[in-house]
Each structure stands twice: as structure tokens, then as C-alpha cells.
Amino acid sequence: MLDGRPLVDAHMHAARLSTLKPAWHQWAHDFGDASLVQRVYDDEGTVDPARFHAYLAGEGVDVALVLAEYSPKVTGIQPVEDLLPLTGYHLGRVRMIANVNPHLHWPVDEELRRQLDLGAVACKIHPVHAGIAAGDRWLYPAYEVCQSAGIPVIVHCGTSTFPGSSNKFADPILLDDVLRDFRSLTIVLAHGGRGWWYDAAAFLALSNERVWIDLSGLPPSRLRGYYARQNWNRLVRRFIFGTDWPGVPGIAHNARAVAALCPDDETARLVLAGNASYVYNLKLI
């Protein structure tokens, strides 16, 4: 709980440092809290479960969703198995999100089912780092698995400055066919159209009840400006709080700043935890 409200951080990267390329380390240094390595990581560069859970508790986080990433050309490869010590340490506080890359995983539906069997509550697609459009038919078997299982797909929807990124694949319009072809699939737009597509992401979220916006990587102080042409009171109710940790100075700090932008306490509760609980089928501890 944070200030009497439940809190879900729906977008965190608990990376094993040895698996990552230098650009990731520079990003974490430039945008995050440099002391986190000493506070959360062990001497081998792996997130220590006890320290991580204590850190989350100190920040008021009830549930954290952690992501691995299979992006060898951009950030490196971190297998989902790296996350199991975190999800198993304190049942319910940390949940895992699957990730598939059709350049590495074939068939993608079998790999996704394997990761779901390990406890994943959603699947992330990273078109910008994987180098494939979200609407590419190679990904359709994964979407079918998610739709059948009733779990959401998170799609990176925003620019990336990491070397090797293909930012043309961040356009939300590339999901138009997916939404048409999978009529029961829930989609979360990670980073909310960061770069050139804020209005496009907002349009999808406001026009389709199955589309949500994940605020990870977006400074709260700039959110009203990013979505200045939108009906703020309607749009904010489509938001899901997330930080893109460790690329953030502090989870609690950002959560309070986002809550202050909400028109009322009910909306703040939805953004900070209620929407995530609904979309990801979470039971808040």
C-alpha cells in the first residue's frame, strides 16, 4: 500500500547484469537510481530475492510484474528462468511476464505455453527490439494462445534509443489488424506511444475497451502535455501504472506524481492498481 492505496508496478526489468549490453547499463545509470545495484543486486549481478522484495515493500508496491527480454541485437538475452527466484520467494508479490521473439522461438505458441506454465500472467511482444511488426502473421499463434487463455499481450509502443532498434515498428496502427482478427484479445500499449504516437495510442485506448496504456518510461510531469489533445478525464481511466524500473528515480515518487494528476481518488485507485488487477487477473496481497 502507498498512502492508503494499493499499488501495482506493472512494468519492471529485474535484469541479470551479465546478460545485458553496455547501452542498457548506460540507460539504467542515466535514468535510474545508481544506488539500486548496491541495494538490490548481489555480488554476481543478479537481483537478490530478499533484497528485491524488501525494496518493493519499502516503495509501497503490493504486486510487481517483472519482464525478461529476448533481444540479442539490442539489449541482450535474459531468459524467463532468471525471474523464477523472484516469483517464488514471496508468493503473489512478484509475477512474471512472458516474452517471445519469432526470430528465436519457433513455434512461438509452444514457447509461450512453456513460459505460461512457469507462471507468466501475460506475454510481451517487443517489435522495436525484435525487428518485426506487431501485426506480422508469425506472431498470430502467440496471440491465439493469449486470447484462448484470457491473458493480455503487452506491446512495446514507443521509440527506443538503444542501438539496433527498429523504431518504425513502434507505430500503434500496426495493431489494427490484430485487434480486428482477435476480437477478445486484450492489448496493453507499453510506453503509451512514446515519441510520435501519443495521439494514436490514445485513440486506440479510447475507442476500444480491450486496449490499455502502460505509463512505463513516461515522466508523470509530462503526461498532460503528451496527451494534450485528448479528453484527459476519460483517457486517464485507461492508464496502468508502471515505471520501467530500474530506469526511474523511485517507484513511490512516480506513483504519487501520477495519482496527483487524477481527477479523483477513484480514478487514482484504478490507475495505481485497479486497472492492472483487472487486466492481469491479479490478486492483490
Side-chain angles (χ1 to χ4, degrees):
M1 299 279 284
L2 179 68
D3 304 331
R5 300 187 186 104
L7 179 61
V8 175
D9 190 333
H11 196 118
M12 303 183 72
H13 297 274
R16 185 158 52 95
L17 300 183
S18 62
T19 69
L20 301 169
K21 291 190 173 183
W24 190 96
H25 292 274
Q26 189 63 48
W27 164 77
H29 176 271
D30 291 346
F31 296 101
D33 179 354
S35 70
L36 282 176
V37 173
Q38 287 74 34
R39 292 164 57 195
V40 177
Y41 282 80
D42 63 23
D43 293 339
E44 296 180 353
T46 300
V47 175
D48 179 86
R51 296 182 196 174
F52 187 60
H53 282 263
Y55 168 75
L56 293 175
E59 293 290 315
V61 177
D62 295 281
V63 178
L65 303 185
V66 293
L67 303 95
E69 189 172 314
Y70 294 86
S71 299
K73 293 193 298 184
V74 182
T75 55
I77 291 181
Q78 182 189 17
V80 294
E81 285 78 4
D82 282 356
L83 304 177
L84 297 182
L86 302 180
T87 61
Y89 182 82
H90 184 299
L91 192 62
R93 186 186 292 280
V94 178
R95 307 301 299 273
M96 180 179 75
I97 293 174
N99 176 238
V100 292
N101 180 337
H103 297 300
L104 300 176
H105 303 128
W106 189 90
V108 292
D109 52 341
E110 289 187 8
E111 172 59 21
L112 177 54
R113 289 191 187 96
R114 187 188 73 83
Q115 295 184 33
L116 295 182
D117 287 343
L118 293 174
V121 299
C123 175
K124 184 183 180 185
I125 304 296
H126 206 315
V128 172
H129 288 179
I132 188 171
D136 194 286
R137 294 308 191 268
W138 282 103
L139 291 168
Y140 268 40
Y143 297 148
E144 180 58 46
V145 170
C146 290
Q147 179 172 255
S148 298
I151 63 171
V153 174
I154 304 167
V155 181
H156 179 104
C157 183
T159 52
S160 172
T161 59
F162 291 135
S165 299
S166 299
N167 285 302
K168 64 182 179 181
F169 293 131
D171 192 338
I173 196 61
L174 298 174
L175 287 162
D176 199 41
D177 286 349
V178 177
L179 287 165
R180 180 199 64 202
D181 295 339
F182 296 91
R183 303 302 293 271
S184 300
L185 182 65
T186 297
I187 294 179
V188 178
L189 306 178
H191 318 303
R194 180 179 62 202
W196 308 296
W197 303 288
Y198 292 114
D199 287 330
F203 173 82
L204 287 180
L206 289 172
S207 63
N208 193 314
E209 64 181 7
R210 295 180 288 119
V211 178
W212 301 80
I213 288 177
D214 158 348
L215 298 176
S216 58
L218 302 181
S221 62
R222 298 184 181 181
L223 286 174
R224 293 296 293 262
Y226 290 156
Y227 299 106
R229 296 196 289 183
Q230 306 300 321
N231 182 321
W232 177 259
N233 286 356
R234 283 187 63 212
L235 182 63
V236 71
R237 295 178 72 89
R238 308 300 299 168
F239 288 165
I240 293 174
F241 178 75
T243 58
D244 215 12
W245 185 93
V248 61
I251 300 172
H253 173 84
N254 270 29
R256 289 187 174 109
V258 168
L261 297 173
C262 296
D264 49 52
D265 184 65
E266 178 194 5
T267 304
R269 287 177 177 273
L270 287 174
V271 176
L272 295 186
N275 289 342
S277 179
Y278 170 73
V279 170
Y280 294 106
N281 302 301
L282 302 176
K283 182 177 180 181
L284 301 183
I285 61 174

